Amino acid sequence: MDHGTPRTVSLSAVPETLLWNLYHRSFAARQPSAAFEDPRSVALVDSIDYPFEETFGPPSPFLAQGQALRVLTFDAVVRDFLAEHPDGTVVALGEGLETQFWRVDNGRVHWLSVDLPETVAVRRDLLADGERRRTLACSALDPAWIEEVDTSRGVLVTAQGLLMYLRPAEVRELIARCAEHFPGGALVFDAVPRWFSARTTHGGMTTVQGYTTPPMPWGMNAGELSKVFTAHPGITEVREVPVPRGDGLFFGTVAPLARRVPGVRNLRPTMTVLARFAPR
Ligand SMILES: C[S@@+](CC[C@H](N)C(=O)[O-])C[C@H]1O[C@@H](n2cnc3c(N)ncnc32)[C@H](O)[C@@H]1O
């Protein structure tokens, strides 16, 4: 990463949302007592010329904690995978400027980051590829990225903050494609509930801080997890991944309880899901 002249970043629509995530993740990592360590995200924000505060509003400690807990949930899945497959391949679909590689690197993992060309141009400038880490400019909906994956030592596909921006049929096809091509592998993704998706479909949703998200056409309720099995016969397990307990009334008490209460659990704005695929 070049710490000289800030790199101007100009993205729009869904690619711009990666900056919202980065902004809040880095804010969480900057807190003196942060349980969440992500110095790369802090350095990234400091090296980018982009009107973060004008676009997304003042940083919100609440949203930042939510963002940190979400990525910690994904990190735990990646670490579990690496415990079983230390030389395995992580394919990060729609990775944006995620810095997960640096949070979980075991010195052996192989990493393939797949994103749209405009995002990849920014990522490559700011986070140059390394010996075990490659960036590919390719839509997750284009099956071409599959040919780039080394399947010899285990595969985990991650889709953090991506599937909600796709259409339902595209999500189904993507899940099926992963199950078909990565037997013995797994896919971890997050989903917004249907009410949340519905609120965004007419021009997006505006946050209290004044940022309007792009529409999120795909939503799935926590009570619908079993529907994921219908995407492909090779899917053997589908389960929600618990979010670590956070601080304060909401993240420390309400959110962990809400996960266990049918009906109420669908009110949560996001959940993380792990789908495993049968070996061939
Ligand atoms: C909300 S951001 C998430 C970024 C990152 N995963 C994170 O959690 O910080 C959405 C990301 O999806 C990417 N994206 C959108 N459509 C895509 C597609 N069809 N294929 C691959 N990436 C896509 C965007 O460029 C952006 O990086």
Side-chain angles (χ1 to χ4, degrees), residues 55-280:
T55 311
F56 302 130
S60 150
F62 181 80
L63 294 176
Q65 185 178 179
Q67 193 57 222
L69 292 171
R70 184 172 77 124
V71 304
L72 285 170
T73 312
F74 276 77
D75 287 1
V77 173
V78 177
R79 288 199 181 94
D80 286 351
F81 167 74
L82 294 180
E84 273 184 55
H85 307 275
D87 306 308
T89 300
V90 173
V91 183
L93 299 178
E95 194 173 25
L97 286 176
E98 239 296 17
T99 37
Q100 185 178 51
F101 173 85
W102 291 272
R103 293 194 303 271
V104 302
D105 185 23
N106 63 354
R108 291 164 68 181
V109 61
H110 293 259
W111 203 273
L112 180 66
S113 184
V114 178
D115 210 309
L116 299 175
E118 60 269 42
T119 299
V120 165
V122 175
R123 186 174 173 94
R124 283 204 183 120
D125 270 5
L126 293 163
L127 300 168
D129 283 2
E131 204 186 316
R132 292 177 288 109
R133 194 171 43 78
R134 271 191 318 135
T135 309
L136 185 70
C138 181
S139 169
L141 303 175
D142 177 345
W145 63 266
I146 288 174
E147 305 305 320
E148 302 287 327
V149 180
D150 174 1
T151 56
S152 61
R153 293 177 299 258
V155 176
L156 172 69
V157 181
T158 72
Q160 179 186 293
L162 172 66
L163 300 194
M164 60 286 286
Y165 296 110
L166 307 180
R167 291 196 294 265
E170 294 170 334
V171 171
R172 192 178 167 82
E173 193 178 354
L174 181 58
I175 295 173
R177 206 172 266 153
C178 290
E180 179 67 27
H181 291 274
F182 306 125
L187 167 70
V188 58
F189 59 91
D190 52 350
V192 299
R194 285 177 183 269
W195 68 265
F196 193 102
S197 163
R199 275 188 59 185
T200 70
T201 43
H202 301 289
M205 184 162 69
T206 302
T207 66
V208 179
Q209 292 77 16
Y211 168 63
T212 301
T213 69
M216 300 182 197
W218 182 67
M220 180 177 76
N221 288 342
E224 295 180 297
L225 283 187
S226 61
K227 285 190 181 168
V228 177
F229 284 106
T230 66
H232 193 279
I235 299 175
T236 53
E237 181 188 349
V238 180
R239 67 173 174 88
E240 185 178 341
V241 185
V243 180
R245 189 179 289 274
D247 296 328
L249 179 64
F250 183 79
F251 291 114
T253 306
V254 176
L257 278 179
R259 191 172 87 82
R260 301 205 186 89
V261 185
V264 175
R265 62 190 175 160
N266 293 337
L267 299 176
R268 296 168 305 155
T270 180
M271 68 174 168
T272 301
V273 178
L274 179 67
R276 288 188 187 278
F277 312 135
R280 204 156 270 152

Side-chain angles (χ1 to χ4, degrees), residues 10-62:
S10 171
L11 293 166
S12 58
V14 179
E16 190 172 32
T17 62
L18 72 89
L19 295 163
W20 189 95
N21 288 11
L22 174 66
Y23 179 51
H24 288 96
R25 210 168 73 242
S26 69
F27 183 76
R30 275 183 213 271
Q31 302 315 302
S33 61
F36 174 63
E37 290 182 21
D38 192 2
R40 279 258 165 185
S41 70
V42 174
L44 264 181
V45 166
D46 291 344
S47 67
I48 290 175
D49 177 15
Y50 175 84
F52 284 101
E53 193 151 342
E54 289 86 333
T55 311
F56 302 130
S60 150
F62 181 80

